[in-house]
Structure formats: C-alpha cells, structure tokens
Amino acid sequence: DYAPRDLAQATVALLYQVNSVKLRFYDLKPTINGTNASVTVTLEATGVAASGEKFMEPRELVCKLVKDEGKWLFRECEVVQVVGK
C-alpha cells in the first residue's frame, strides 16, 4: 500500500528532476474481481527536465487496486514495458 508520506516523498524527488511534467493515461483495461482490481494502462509523461531538455516517456503499467470503504485505492504499480517512442 502507498502511504501518503511515500507519495509525498516521491513527488518532491520528481520536482527536483523536472521543470514541468504532464501525465497522460490512455488505453485503460480494468479487470475487477470483487474488491480487487488490476488495470493495465499506457502512461505518457512529457515535459522539460531540470537540465532544460524536453522529454517524452511512454510506459505500460499494471496497477493493482483494492476497494476499501467504497473507494478504490492503489496497492502497487509496476512498469511492465517501455513503449516505443
């Protein structure tokens, strides 16, 4: 499970590496089994690195979620493939 503190630390680390970033999620393919779900999704991150270099990084992710008190929460996310640029 991702604790709010873990997410905050990862966000701060990212902010030191980039001047700007935009995340786009598409091709969502959810599989729901009761209170558990798996979602395969394509993520495209575009932006400007702290060095001033522009980047575009496509990734395919598999995210595991769990339903807790009516809300879907991320349990884990894994990069399964670097999509061709």
Side-chain angles (χ1 to χ4, degrees), residues 8 10 15 26 31 33 35-36 41-42 76:
L15 291 176
Y26 55 97
T31 302
N33 184 8
T35 59
N36 293 294
V41 61
T42 301
E76 65 183 75

Side-chain angles (χ1 to χ4, degrees), residues 17-38:
Q17 297 174 18
V18 299
N19 288 336
S20 66
V21 65
K22 179 179 179 181
L23 302 177
R24 180 176 172 220
F25 296 87
Y26 55 97
D27 296 335
L28 279 85
K29 298 175 188 136
T31 302
I32 300 171
N33 184 8
T35 59
N36 293 294
S38 176

Side-chain angles (χ1 to χ4, degrees), residues 57-75:
E57 297 288 333
R59 300 284 189 265
E60 184 173 325
L61 307 175
V62 172
C63 299
K64 306 288 184 183
L65 296 93
V66 62
K67 196 170 191 178
D68 184 27
E69 296 182 10
K71 295 181 182 179
W72 287 102
L73 306 173
F74 283 96
R75 192 174 67 219

